[in-house]
């Protein structure tokens, strides 16, 4: 019977070779010229298919099995397909030499309508009577542009596929277009079935403009199963404390990674199975597989399987729950075996860390593949996960292939990961700082972080040859402001090949001493910088002469270093050693004066405080609240002075602060009457002098016999940005005090319109005072920044739950724009208004962009403006900058004694100074001011007292510092 089957198979092959059709009762699958026989116990060396085999092929431009690879399954009916002998191809529509290959069968480049054909499909078959006689198979072939091979419907090879694979059977795409066919091969365990087996191939054009296509199988040969699967370039990449990505190099065949908690069994049956994704990598394929849901403080075993073989077992251990440590590597810059061996030595010495963070320049050349593979083949990264930023020596293509994370954003090479409650933001510093602002802001907003650590290649503060580059000064001016604005704790970098660590820095100004062995306690807005030295000694730079004031520790020249960083809940410990021994180069501990979440809450100023009045000030507060209530007019407006017969001046900006004080005193009914008046007097675009809706004018209100007889709009306002900001702050306070969501919801469109005033008048990261007066004031912008936080909170808490889906989407879009402006303003205030040289803010930016420099002899606006970053929460009161600004202000002006009133300096009582004293915890000056106010002002409330100054006094008496 076996002999008869053998004869039938041969006859069928001869019929197909002569062009006769196969019997209609069976699919037209072509056997190999010499079908396999089981007369021999082993078929090793036997060719099941050779280059003379015939194929069924499909190339009319339509999909043979839409939505699936069903066309590659053994049972698929391909009787209607064309039949011919390989190889197949076309060069500009003709059979022509294509490199070392010449097609035998011409493939069309276009379908009948003239449209280009994106993909071609091929099927051939071979027969095996005894699958046990076929331990493994090796296929050799050539293709152009991209190919997927299937054996009995299972993928066994992917060549030159695009990163995202193919969306459909008819997709164009390839990792790289080809000028000539490339060769490929695969090895696979021969999981065959007795009888007919099918090999199938799909070939894709890189693009519609492709001018050639090719597919030819040279052979499919039976081989021995060679045992352990060899793996090259295996590296784990950290994506946080709960997931990793494994990458390795191979020959393009399908591979699978499996992993499980380590135990007594080397390869547990419970191991999770993760299919890998491969992309072309020079002469190899680069594979990746993701390991998810990793448990803390757990040892894992993992291995890779393909063609019936299994790799050696590899292990790694995850971090615990309470703290972690990592190794910082600066500029490995691999050039050859010597530097690779030095890297291997360092990695081995720190094998117990949780991961390695490399600050760029992994290799010396941007194009020498062997240098990148030497880095990978150090052997340590299969068990010690790596994260690596791009440097200036990286070739972007090779970095993307070997080291870039899988979750890179659509543009750029910034990425982030989290470890416990620490955020790591890795930036491509080959780009300008502005390119990273949105990513940094979004990353910090994405969670509640105890620590924020940035890693980038270029160092802002280094002492190697790049330290005096013009580009370094540009880096400092832009990045330092960015990191101060977003309160980054620690910045790690390289590039200068000489270890250096700064003092705590506020933007570009040193804010601490902080030598070796001490503890640095940072305030909000302060950042510590570490420039890692060379980790391999492959290249050193001599120290250059630059300003040394920022530096606390400078390493020795021409000595390689490695830095271990321990991250805990309360501190970060930095330990740097020279790699030629165990000598310490630096040691320091970083802590925070206020935990990040507490610092954030401390910035949320001007919200209702606990109903507790400063001790001894109860009578003063009661008297001032009564006086503020007396300013309310019959229509609800709050006048600058107590209501009187005749004309009453209403300044909505002053009135908003008066209402905030009344809220603090529990006068919610009066405040609601004022809110009603304010909502009803918002301008329309037709009524506003600048065509800007939802603004509000100053008003004169006439009262006769206790009744309002006329309201006259001034047709002007002092500002649009501050008037809008204080109203939003008041609305947030009203909701916080009353919980009256229904009232807020009823005015949602008004509130959104007022917020839009701020969005509409923003320019270059700051808001204009008015459209017709485009000066950008420090005081206004501090008010605006706080109000943006207030309105976003108000919308989320009081409005969003009541909206329909469509309205909620519009509200979310508004909130997104508000958050974007917040981020721009933080940076704008730091970059455009803060002057490190003077240690002060400019009080204004003029329309031409000129900065109004600080005049130390001018109380207002120059002096008072310096308090507004403190009052409105831009700076933490514990920060060194806040203390310096407040101290300088108090040294220059004796504001607490009211001695400035009715002088050339001011005609206001400036109660906001008292409020600032409360924020800064300066009880002595606060009490001195309150004593003077109680005896000189509160007795008769005479001019020049305005409602706003009385309001600031009330707010100061209620103020309770954060944490008190």
């Amino acid at each position: 019977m076996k002999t008869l089957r053998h004869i039938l198979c041969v006859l069928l092959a001869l019929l197909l070779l002569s062009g006769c059709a196969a019997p209609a009762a069976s699919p037209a699958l072509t056997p190999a010229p010499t079908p396999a026989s089981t007369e021999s116990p082993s078929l090793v060396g036997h060719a099941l298919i050779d280059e003379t085999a015939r194929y069924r092929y499909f190339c009319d431009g339509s999909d043979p099995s839409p939505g699936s690879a069903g066309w590659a399954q053994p049972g698929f009916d391909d009787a209607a397909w064309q039949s011919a002998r390989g190889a197949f191809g076309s060069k500009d529509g003709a059979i022509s030499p294509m490199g070392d290959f010449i097609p035998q069968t011409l493939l069309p480049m276009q379908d009948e309508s003239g449209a280009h054909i994106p993909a071609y499909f091929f099927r051939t078959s071979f027969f095996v009577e005894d699958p046990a006689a076929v331990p493994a198979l090796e296929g050799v072939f050539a293709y152009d542009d991209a190919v997927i091979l299937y054996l009995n419907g299972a993928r066994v090879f992917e060549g030159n596929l695009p990163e995202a694979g193919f969306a459909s059977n008819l997709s164009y795409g390839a990792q790289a277009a080809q000028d000539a066919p490339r060769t490929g091969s695969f090895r696979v365990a021969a999981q065959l079935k007795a009888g007919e087996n099918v090999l199938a191939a799909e070939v894709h054009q890189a693009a519609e403009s492709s001018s050639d296509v090719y597919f030819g199988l040279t052979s499919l040969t039976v081989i021995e199963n060679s045992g352990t699967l060899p793996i090259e370039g295996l590296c784990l990449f950290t994506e946080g404390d709960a997931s990793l990505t494994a990458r390795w190099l191979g020959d393009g065949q399908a591979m699978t990674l499996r992993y499980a908690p380590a135990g007594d069994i080397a390869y547990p049956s419970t191991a999770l199975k993760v299919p890998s994704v491969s992309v072309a990598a020079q002469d190899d394929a680069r594979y990746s597989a993701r390991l998810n849901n990793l448990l803390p403080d757990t040892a894992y075993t993992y291995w890779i399987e393909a063609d019936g073989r299994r790799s050696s077992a590899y292990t790694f251990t995850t971090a615990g729950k309470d703290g972690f440590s990592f190794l910082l590597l600066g500029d490995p810059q691999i050039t050859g075996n010597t530097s690779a061996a030095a890297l291997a030595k360092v990695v081995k010495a720190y094998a117990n860390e949780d991961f390695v963070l490399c600050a760029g320049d992994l290799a010396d050349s941007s194009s020498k593949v062997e240098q990148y593979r030497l880095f990978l083949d150090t052997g340590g990264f299969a068990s010690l996960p790596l994260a690596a930023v791009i440097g200036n020596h990286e070739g972007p293509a090779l970095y993307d292939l070997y080291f870039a994370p899988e979750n890179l954003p659509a543009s750029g090479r910034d990425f982030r990961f989290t470890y416990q409650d620490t955020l790591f933001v890795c930036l491509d510093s080959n780009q300008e700082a502005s390119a990273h602002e949105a990513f940094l802001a979004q990353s910090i907003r994405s969670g509640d972080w105890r620590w924020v650590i940035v890693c980038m290649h270029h160092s802002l503060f280094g002492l190697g040859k790049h330290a005096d580059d013009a580009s370094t000064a540009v880096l400092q001016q832009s990045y330092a402001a960015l990191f101060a604005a977003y309160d980054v704790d620690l910045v790690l970098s390289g590039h200068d090949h000489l270890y250096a660590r700064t003092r705590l820095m506020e933007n570009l100004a040193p804010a601490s001493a902080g030598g070796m062995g001490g503890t640095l306690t940072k305030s909000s807005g302060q950042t510590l910088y570490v420039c890692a030295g060379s980790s391999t000694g492959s290249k050193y730079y001599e120290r250059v002469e630059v300003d040394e004031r920022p530096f606390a520790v400078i390493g020795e020249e021409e000595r390689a270093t490695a830095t271990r960083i321990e991250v805990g809940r309360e501190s970060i410990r930095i330990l740097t050693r020279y790699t030629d021994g165990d000598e310490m180069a630096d040691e320091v501990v970083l802590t925070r004066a206020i935990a990040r979440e507490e610092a954030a809450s401390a910035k949320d100023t001007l919200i209702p405080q606990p109903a507790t009045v400063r001790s001894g000030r109860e009578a003063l507060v009661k008297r001032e609240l009564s006086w503020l209530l007396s300013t309310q007019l019959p229509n609800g407006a709050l006048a600058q002075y107590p209501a009187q017969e005749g004309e009453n001046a209403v300044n909505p900006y002053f009135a908003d602060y008066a209402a905030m004080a009344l809220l603090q005193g529990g006068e919610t009914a009066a405040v609601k009457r004022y809110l009603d008046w304010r909502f009803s007097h918002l301008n329309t675009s037709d009524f506003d002098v600048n065509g800007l809706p939802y603004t509000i004018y100053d008003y004169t209100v006439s009262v006769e016999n206790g009744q309002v007889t006329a309201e006259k709009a001034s047709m002007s306002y002092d500002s649009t940005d501050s008037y809008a900001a204080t109203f939003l702050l008041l609305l947030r306070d009203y909701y916080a005090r009353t919980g009256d969501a229904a009232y807020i919801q009823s005015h949602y469109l008004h509130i959104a319109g007022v917020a839009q005033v701020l969005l509409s008048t923003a320019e270059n990261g700051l808001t204009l005072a008015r459209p017709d007066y485009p000066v950008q004031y420090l005081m206004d912008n501090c008010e605006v920044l706080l109000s943006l936080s207030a309105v976003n909170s108000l919308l989320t808490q009081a409005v969003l739950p009541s909206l329909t889906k469509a309205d909620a989407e519009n509200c979310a879009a508004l909130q997104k724009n508000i958050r974007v402006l917040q981020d721009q303003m933080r940076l704008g205030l730091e970059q455009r208004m803060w002057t490190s040289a003077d240690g002060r803010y400019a009080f204004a930016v003029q329309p031409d962009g000129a900065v109004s420099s600080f005049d130390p002899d001018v109380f207002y606006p120059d002096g008072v403006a310096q308090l507004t970053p403190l009052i409105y929460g831009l700076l933490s009161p514990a920060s060194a900058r806040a203390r310096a600004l407040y101290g300088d202000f108090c040294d220059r002006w004796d504001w607490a004694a009211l001695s400035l009133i009715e002088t050339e300096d001011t005609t206001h009582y400036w109660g906001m100074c008292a409020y600032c004293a409360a924020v800064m915890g300066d009880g002595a000056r606060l009490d001195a001011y309150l004593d003077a106010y109680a005896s000189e002002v509160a007795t008769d409330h005479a001019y020049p007292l305005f409602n706003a100054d009385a309001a600031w006094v009330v707010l100061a008496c209620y103020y309770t510092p954060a944490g008190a």
Side-chain angles (χ1 to χ4, degrees):
M1 181 63 73
K2 289 181 179 179
T3 303
L4 177 59
R5 287 182 181 173
H6 181 84
I7 294 171
L8 288 173
C9 288
V10 172
L11 288 174
L12 181 58
L14 290 173
L15 285 170
L16 287 171
L17 287 170
S18 65
C20 297
S26 65
L29 293 168
T30 310
T34 308
S37 170
T38 57
E39 297 293 340
S40 170
S42 173
L43 295 177
V44 173
H46 182 81
L48 298 176
I49 301 175
D50 64 22
E51 59 189 1
T52 66
R54 292 183 70 87
Y55 296 79
R56 288 289 189 181
Y57 66 102
F58 188 75
C59 56
D60 68 359
S62 62
D63 193 334
S65 57
S68 74
W71 65 270
Q73 296 294 327
F76 181 79
D77 185 356
D78 61 3
W81 290 22
Q82 299 180 73
S83 175
R85 184 176 298 162
F88 300 84
S90 174
K91 177 71 173 178
D92 295 320
I95 290 182
S96 302
M98 303 172 67
D100 297 331
F101 303 92
I102 301 177
Q104 298 300 310
T105 298
L106 180 66
L107 292 175
M109 300 296 289
Q110 299 172 326
D111 61 20
E112 293 181 353
S113 69
H116 288 267
I117 297 173
Y120 303 79
F121 306 89
F122 306 88
R123 291 166 56 89
T124 189
S125 66
F126 58 93
F127 292 82
V128 172
E129 292 195 6
D130 184 4
V134 185
L137 294 171
E138 179 178 49
V140 180
F141 49 91
Y143 61 96
D144 184 331
D145 287 300
V147 70
I148 302 175
L149 294 177
Y150 302 85
L151 179 60
N152 289 335
R155 292 192 183 200
V156 293
F157 182 85
E158 299 171 345
N160 198 30
L161 267 62
E163 286 278 354
F166 295 116
S168 72
N169 290 332
L170 294 178
S171 295
Y172 289 103
Q175 186 180 28
Q178 299 177 189
D179 295 330
R182 68 168 64 180
T183 57
S185 64
F186 67 86
R187 292 189 175 192
V188 62
Q191 300 173 4
L192 305 179
K193 59 181 181 178
E196 185 180 72
N197 295 268
V198 176
L199 182 76
E202 62 179 279
V203 176
H204 291 255
Q205 297 282 48
E208 190 174 357
S209 58
S210 297
S211 61
D212 56 1
V213 63
Y214 185 89
F215 173 70
L217 184 76
T218 303
S219 63
L220 181 68
T221 305
V222 181
I223 60 172
E224 294 282 6
N225 194 327
S226 57
T228 302
L229 180 69
I231 299 295
E232 295 182 358
L234 179 60
C235 183
L236 292 176
F237 289 88
T238 185
E239 294 184 1
D241 49 3
S243 61
L244 296 169
T245 292
R247 286 185 180 165
W248 66 95
L249 303 175
D251 58 9
Q253 63 184 311
M255 294 189 178
T256 299
L257 182 144
R258 300 187 66 159
Y259 67 103
D264 296 332
I265 302 174
Y267 303 102
S269 59
T270 57
L272 294 173
K273 187 175 182 180
V274 184
S276 66
V277 177
S278 67
V279 296
Q282 300 295 323
D283 297 330
D284 297 313
R286 190 269 287 157
Y287 294 81
S288 64
R290 186 179 174 93
L291 291 70
N292 286 321
N293 301 316
L294 301 174
L295 301 173
D297 198 19
T298 301
Y300 282 86
T301 298
Y302 73 101
W303 62 96
I304 298 161
E305 297 175 347
D307 66 24
R309 294 181 294 166
R310 178 180 289 148
S311 73
S312 300
Y314 304 94
T315 61
F316 64 89
T317 302
T318 55
K321 294 182 179 180
D322 300 318
F324 60 94
S325 63
F326 64 95
L327 171 64
L328 171 67
L329 291 179
D331 298 80
Q333 216 146 331
I334 301 301
T335 57
N337 292 327
T338 301
S339 51
L343 176 63
K345 179 182 176 182
V346 173
V347 172
K348 183 177 180 180
Y350 290 86
N352 292 326
E353 308 307 321
D354 293 307
F355 63 92
V356 174
L357 182 59
C358 185
D361 280 6
L362 296 95
D364 187 58
S365 170
S366 62
S367 59
K368 293 183 179 179
V369 175
E370 60 271 18
Q371 293 181 358
Y372 292 86
R373 294 191 177 178
L374 272 172
F375 184 99
L376 292 171
D377 286 334
T378 58
F381 298 118
S383 294
L384 183 57
L386 172 71
V389 301
I390 188 169
N392 62 298
H393 277 256
E394 262 71 66
L398 293 177
Y399 172 82
D400 289 351
L401 183 64
Y402 293 118
F403 298 104
E406 303 293 324
N407 62 342
L408 278 181
S411 62
R413 293 178 175 84
D414 296 345
F415 64 95
R416 65 175 179 250
F417 62 92
T418 61
Y419 234 85
Q420 295 170 13
D421 51 4
T422 296
L423 170 69
F424 288 83
V425 183
C426 299
L427 304 179
D428 176 5
S429 55
N430 296 295
Q431 297 179 318
E432 295 180 356
S434 58
H436 311 294
E437 181 192 347
F439 183 78
L440 180 64
Q442 180 188 39
S443 300
I444 292 175
R445 279 203 309 265
S446 65
D448 295 324
W449 312 114
R450 182 164 293 273
W451 301 103
V452 174
I453 298 175
V454 166
C455 185
M456 57 191 285
H457 177 63
H458 297 81
S459 181
L460 275 64
F461 301 97
L463 287 156
K465 77 170 188 178
H466 296 298
D468 57 0
D469 289 350
S471 59
T472 300
V474 174
L475 284 171
Q476 290 178 342
Q477 291 296 329
S478 54
Y479 278 95
L482 188 71
F483 298 148
Y486 289 100
D487 194 22
V488 171
D489 298 300
L490 179 63
V491 175
L492 307 173
S493 59
H495 194 51
D496 271 280
H497 298 249
L498 174 64
Y499 180 81
R501 173 178 58 79
T502 68
R503 311 172 192 277
L504 281 172
M505 304 293 291
E506 281 192 4
N507 199 334
L508 298 178
S512 69
M516 181 172 171
T519 295
L520 300 176
T521 301
K522 78 175 290 287
S523 299
S524 297
Q526 295 179 346
T527 303
L528 186 66
Y529 294 84
V530 173
C531 176
S534 169
S535 56
T536 62
S538 64
K539 182 186 292 186
Y540 294 113
Y541 293 146
E542 293 183 359
R543 179 174 164 181
V544 299
E545 297 300 323
V546 296
D547 182 3
E548 294 185 9
R549 285 177 298 175
F551 297 96
V553 174
I554 301 170
E556 295 183 24
E557 295 181 62
E558 297 193 7
R559 292 188 74 180
T561 58
T563 299
R564 180 177 191 265
I565 300 179
E566 303 170 357
V567 181
R569 290 187 59 79
E570 305 301 330
S571 65
I572 297 177
R573 186 179 183 217
I574 300 168
L575 297 155
T576 300
R577 286 184 167 85
Y578 297 107
T579 62
D580 55 9
D582 198 40
E583 183 182 354
M584 190 73 72
D586 185 23
E587 180 178 4
V588 72
V589 175
L590 177 66
T591 64
R592 291 187 65 99
I594 304 176
R596 178 174 293 273
E597 60 270 25
E598 294 174 6
S601 63
K603 290 184 177 184
D604 197 7
T605 57
L606 289 174
I607 60 174
Q609 295 284 324
T612 302
V613 178
R614 185 173 181 82
S615 179
R617 302 299 174 182
E618 295 83 1
L620 176 62
V621 168
K622 183 178 180 180
R623 184 166 22 176
E624 296 313 289
L625 287 173
S626 177
W627 187 79
L628 287 172
L629 275 175
S630 74
T631 68
Q632 189 155 44
L633 302 173
N635 61 357
L638 294 170
Q640 289 181 236
Y641 309 102
Q644 61 183 6
E645 291 288 300
E647 293 185 344
N648 295 266
V650 178
N651 179 303
Y653 174 80
F654 284 176
D656 288 342
Y657 283 111
M660 291 183 210
L662 289 171
L663 268 180
Q664 187 63 68
E667 302 291 344
T668 56
V671 172
K672 188 173 183 180
R673 289 182 60 217
Y674 169 69
L675 291 176
D676 289 340
W677 178 87
R678 208 183 189 294
F679 275 125
S680 67
H681 287 71
L682 292 175
N683 293 339
T684 64
S685 57
D686 293 337
F687 190 56
D688 183 78
V689 292
N690 291 297
L692 186 63
Y694 299 101
T695 57
I696 190 169
Y697 292 133
D698 295 335
Y699 274 83
T700 299
V701 179
S702 297
V703 177
E704 293 182 13
N705 299 319
Q707 299 295 319
V708 172
T709 58
E711 286 186 294
K712 182 180 179 181
S714 66
M715 303 305 292
S716 67
Y717 28 59
D718 185 68
S719 67
T720 55
D721 57 355
S722 282
Y723 281 34
T726 55
F727 189 34
L728 295 174
L729 289 170
L730 173 60
L731 288 167
R732 186 273 311 269
D733 287 4
Y734 175 79
Y735 176 71
R737 174 67 68 190
T738 66
D740 189 355
Y743 184 77
I744 299 299
Q745 291 163 11
S746 69
H747 289 288
Y748 163 51
L749 294 180
H750 292 122
I751 295 169
V754 174
Q756 191 62 45
V757 169
L758 302 176
L759 298 173
S760 301
T761 57
E763 185 177 289
N764 296 325
L766 298 172
T767 55
L768 307 176
R770 299 194 310 258
D772 58 341
Y773 186 67
V775 179
Q776 296 168 313
Y777 285 104
L778 174 64
M779 184 173 182
D780 295 35
N781 276 267
C782 289
E783 289 173 317
V784 169
L785 182 60
L786 183 60
S787 76
L788 293 174
S789 173
V791 70
N792 244 347
S793 173
L794 185 67
L795 292 173
T796 297
Q797 296 175 25
V799 176
L800 272 174
S802 70
L803 298 180
T804 64
K805 181 178 180 181
D807 287 339
E809 290 174 352
N810 292 333
C811 184
L814 172 64
Q815 290 184 289
K816 179 180 179 181
N817 291 335
I818 289 170
R819 288 192 294 269
V820 169
L821 180 55
Q822 280 181 279
D823 294 338
Q824 292 173 344
M825 293 188 71
R826 289 190 188 98
L827 192 57
L829 285 162
E830 188 69 23
Q831 287 184 328
R832 301 182 63 206
M833 287 194 152
W834 175 251
T835 53
S836 298
D838 295 336
R840 297 182 186 87
Y841 289 91
F843 74 84
V845 177
Q846 300 301 320
D848 61 359
V851 174
S852 298
S853 59
F854 176 81
D855 187 335
D857 295 324
V858 177
F859 178 77
Y860 176 79
D862 301 56
V864 173
Q866 306 305 309
L867 302 184
T868 56
L870 289 58
I871 292 171
Y872 298 100
L874 177 65
L875 300 177
S876 165
S879 70
R881 186 185 297 184
R883 294 194 301 271
L885 289 171
Y886 180 71
D888 181 72
F889 178 83
C890 293
D891 289 344
R892 292 180 185 279
W893 291 285
D894 185 20
W895 59 269
L898 303 185
S899 59
L900 301 175
I901 302 303
E902 296 290 12
T903 70
E904 62 182 11
D905 292 304
T906 180
T907 57
H908 287 280
Y909 283 106
W910 289 104
M912 64 186 303
C913 297
Y915 184 83
C916 187
V919 171
M920 296 301 295
D922 185 0
R925 285 191 179 89
L926 173 58
D927 282 331
Y929 179 94
L930 294 176
D931 286 342
Y933 182 91
S935 62
E936 299 178 29
V937 180
T939 54
D940 57 6
H941 295 99
Y943 176 89
L945 180 65
F946 294 89
N947 55 355
D949 279 327
W952 281 115
V953 167
V954 172
L955 293 171
C957 288
Y958 275 106
Y959 186 84
T960 303

